[in-house]
Amino acid sequence: MRFTVGEHSAGHMRRILHMFLTRWDLIGLSDSATLALTELVANVVRHVPERRCSVLILREPYGLRVEVADAMPGAVHAKAADPLDEGGRGLVLVEAVTDRWGVDERADGKTVWFECDA
């Protein structure tokens, strides 16, 4: 699915993800997966000028894989934010609540992904 995201888009995407997890009998992954997806969408809203992204939700033999791709090149890293910073903790949260996550860089942007084991 391709989207132009805004402030309320994460809520809509959480509902879509929850629907898939329910259908796939993976509802136990819902809290972790929806939090991780929320953080990745929030990063697009904050850091991608046109706020365009595509979201791919995949049922895998081991569980779930979610990918959020955008056209903004550059590496992203999970780093501890200063306690007084308003942001900067999103990828640290993704790392904490998922089994794996990473970034695939391309010439025309990047894909940030995470996986949750069933």
Side-chain angles (χ1 to χ4, degrees), residues 4-117:
T4 299
V5 293
E7 300 298 325
H8 303 288
S9 298
H12 300 298
M13 290 191 196
R14 281 193 304 268
R15 285 188 287 283
I16 292 167
L17 179 56
H18 186 82
M19 178 191 66
F20 280 113
L21 292 173
T22 300
R23 183 176 183 120
W24 294 334
D25 198 27
L26 293 174
I27 199 66
L29 301 178
S30 185
D31 290 344
S32 298
T34 56
L35 176 58
L37 179 58
T38 298
E39 294 302 328
L40 297 187
V41 171
N43 283 345
V44 172
V45 171
R46 284 187 203 106
H47 303 295
V48 177
E50 294 182 2
R51 295 181 168 184
R52 290 193 181 123
C53 68
S54 58
V55 176
L56 182 61
I57 301 169
L58 298 167
R59 171 67 168 104
E60 298 287 355
Y62 56 80
L64 173 74
R65 180 179 173 100
V66 176
E67 300 179 358
V68 178
D70 63 58
M72 189 75 169
V76 296
H77 306 281
K79 60 181 168 108
D82 185 273
L84 299 177
D85 288 347
E86 289 185 25
R89 293 172 189 82
L91 291 175
V92 172
L93 283 172
V94 171
E95 186 172 58
V97 301
T98 64
D99 292 294
R100 289 165 298 285
W101 79 278
V103 180
D104 297 330
E105 295 181 52
R106 307 177 318 272
D108 63 341
K110 67 185 168 303
T111 299
V112 184
W113 56 269
F114 66 85
E115 298 175 337
C116 296
D117 294 340

